[in-house]
Amino acid sequence: MKRTHHCNELRPLNIGQTATLTGWVHSRRDLGGVIFIDVRDREGRTQTVFDPSDLSKELFDQAGALRSECVIEVTGKVRQRPEGTNNAKIPTGEVELLVESLKVLNIAEVLPFPVDDPEITAKVNEELRLQYRFLDLRRPELARNLRVRSKVAIATRSFMDEQGFLEVETPTLFKSTPEGAREFVVPARMSPGLFYALPQSPQQFKQILMVSGVERYFQLARCYRDEDLRADRQPEFTQIDIEMSFIEREDIYALIEGMLHRLWKVALNKDIPLPFPRITYAEAMNRFGIDKPDTRFAMELVDMTDDFRASTFKVFSGAIANGGVVKALNAKGLACATQGQIETMTEYAKSFGAKGLAFIKVEGGEWKSPIVKFFSEAEKSALKTKLAIEEGDLILFAADQWTNACEILGKIRLYCADVLKAQGKLTIPSDRFDFLWVVDFPLLSFDKEQNRWYSSHHPFTAPVEEDIPLLKSDPKKVRGQHYDIVVNGVELGGGSIRIHQPDVQKTVFEEVLQIPPDMVKARFGYMLNAFRFGAPPHGGIALGFDRLIAILCGASSLRDVIAFPKTAKAPDLRPDSPCTFQPRQLRYLHLEIQVGKKE
Ligand code: ASP
C-alpha cells in the first residue's frame, strides 16, 4: 500500500511517528497563513497541517490550490493538536499530521454538489445525486450502507453454510412464466422470433433442485420484475432464496428466526427475541386491516357489526344486510385532524370503492358528527365502551364487505399513525423491531373482473392438508401452507410448503385456476415432468435482501442501499441505459422496432 495508515487510524499513541495517508481532500481551511486539509478515505478522516515555515513555497502553493475531492498522498509527522483544538466528533480528533511531502495523485473538477457536509448533501436533489452516483457513494451514510450490505450478505452465506445449505446459481435467461408481474424479455438470436424472459424468482429451478436431491438450497438471487418503480420496489432486486426438502412449516420458521437473529446481531449487535409471534391472516386483517401489520402501536380495528345490525342508520345496517361488516377505529387524540387530513382519509376510503368516510370528532364534551343523530343510545354506549372513547378522540368507520372494510381502516390506521408521529403524540424508538409470522392465508383469491380464482401466493403452494377436500366444493375456505415474515409493517419475505404430487398440482392448475392444459404444459411442463420422477415433499421462502438491508440501515428508500439503483427517470439520468440499438444490431436479432402509442 502507498499508505502506512488509513484515515481513521491515527491516535495519541502514534504521536512522533511518520505516517503516510492517501485519500480525498475532504475540506480545506486557510487559517492565518496555515492550511488545514482533512484527508478522507472510506474509514474516516484525519486533519493534516501545511505550515509555510516548514515547506517549500512550491509545495505550500500546491496545497493552497487543492480543490475538494482531489486525490492526494501526504507524508508527515503525527503530532498532538494544540490545546483547545481537539475535535471530539471524529476518532482521530486528538492528533494531526504535520505535512512534509505531498503528492497530488489526481485533480477533481469543481463538484456538482458538496460531499463533505451530510446535511447539505441530503438536501441536494436526488436526481442530481443519482446522476453523480460515484460522488454520492462517497458520503459516509451511503458508504456505511454498502458496508452493512456486504457484511450481512457474508453473514447470510456463513449461516446457511453452517445449516447445511448449498449455494446454487440458477439461470438468468429463462422463459416466460406469467403469473404475477410483467417480465423483461431478451431476444434469442439463435432462434429467430423467440425470446427469453428474465426470472421473477428462481421458483421453478429451486423446486427442481429438490427433485435433484439437493435437499437444502439457497442463493442470493437476482430477480427481475417489469413493474412501475416505487420507493419500495426496484425492477431488479436481490432475494435470499431458500428451499428445503422433507420439512414442515415449523422448520422454515425456526431456520428464518435463527438467520434473522444472526443478521441483527452482526449488523446492529442486537439480540432480537425469539420465537416470533404468529398471527393468522384473518386476525391480522380483523385487528390491523392489513396482512403485514405494524404492531409497534395499537390503534386496532374494532368490529361493530352486531351492534349496528338493526340500526336505523341505513348506511351501516344496509351494508350488514348485504353480507358486509361495520368496523371502527379510534385515532386517539386526533379530534384536531384538519379538513385536509379528513379529505385525505376520505380519498383512501373512496379508492376502495366506498362512497365516503363516516367519522366522529370528540371535542368539547360533544360527539361532533352528522351521523350521530341516527344512533340509538345502545349503539352510542356500545361505541363508547368498545372503543374506549374519550375527549380528543377521532372515530372512523368503514361499512363494507369484510376485506374492503378492513383494508380501508387499515390504510387509515397507518395514515393516522403518521399524523400522530408528526404531532409528537406517538413515538416509536428507531431500534424497535416487531417481527411476526403471518400464517393461514387463503390459498386462493377471487378475481371479479376475470371471474376466476387465482393463487394468493403462487400456484405451487400446498393447501392445508385438512382443507384439501374443499378445493373443488368451497375454494374460498381453503387455507394455504403459506407464511409471510413481517417486521414493523414491512413484508420481509414469504414462502410456502409446496405441492409435490404432480396430480394435485395438475388439478390446481387446470381445475381450480382454470389454466388451459396446453398453457400448463408450456409454462410448467418441465417442472411437472420432473415431479413424475420422485419429488420429495419440500417448501421454501424468499426474503427481499434490499428491503432487509434498508430496515437494518434505517433507510427510507431502497435506493439508499443499492449501489446503482434504477429510478423512475432512469433514461434521463443515465442516458446509456436503456439504450437504442443500431439497425444492424436489430437485424441480427431479427427484430423490427415499431414504437406504439402509450397505452
Ligand atoms: N418465489 C417466491 C417469491 O419470490 C417465494 C417462495 O415461495 O419461496 O415470492
Side-chain angles (χ1 to χ4, degrees), residues 375-394:
F375 293 172
S376 69
E377 283 314 311
E379 286 161 357
K380 279 194 246 180
S381 109
L383 282 172
K384 195 164 176 356
T385 355
K386 283 196 179 171
L387 289 157
I389 297 179
E390 287 171 334
E391 176 69 18
D393 291 350
L394 172 68

Side-chain angles (χ1 to χ4, degrees), residues 400-451:
D400 209 321
Q401 295 304 306
W402 178 76
T403 317
N404 245 11
C406 295
E407 286 184 352
I408 290 170
L409 288 187
K411 183 136 191 174
I412 287 177
R413 173 179 176 268
L414 292 179
Y415 175 77
C416 288
D418 281 343
V419 175
L420 288 168
K421 271 188 242 164
Q423 293 180 353
K425 290 180 187 160
L426 174 68
T427 356
I428 299 173
S430 61
D431 64 346
R432 174 161 176 190
F433 297 99
D434 276 23
F435 287 91
L436 54 96
W437 288 104
V438 182
V439 298
D440 285 351
F441 283 84
L443 181 73
L444 302 158
S445 311
F446 195 70
D447 183 336
K448 275 198 201 122
E449 266 168 41
Q450 295 192 26
N451 193 33

Side-chain angles (χ1 to χ4, degrees), residues 200-204 206-207 223 225 237 239-243 457-458 460-461 482-484 491 493-498 539-543:
Q200 301 185 29
S201 82
Q203 187 63 36
Q204 293 195 43
K206 65 173 176 173
Q207 291 195 236
C223 307
R225 296 182 191 173
F237 57 95
Q239 281 186 343
I240 306 177
D241 196 40
I242 295 172
E243 197 75 12
H457 184 48
H458 54 52
F460 315 114
T461 302
H482 162 196
Y483 30 76
D484 274 354
E491 185 194 321
S496 58
I497 298 298
R498 326 294 184 189
I541 190 165
L543 272 65

Side-chain angles (χ1 to χ4, degrees), residues 47 49 64 94 101 243 266 351 400 411 427 512 517 562 584 596:
Q47 173 164 294
V49 189
E94 287 175 65
S101 71
E243 197 75 12
V266 165
S351 71
D400 209 321
K411 183 136 191 174
T427 356
V512 182
I562 297 174
R584 194 178 56 82

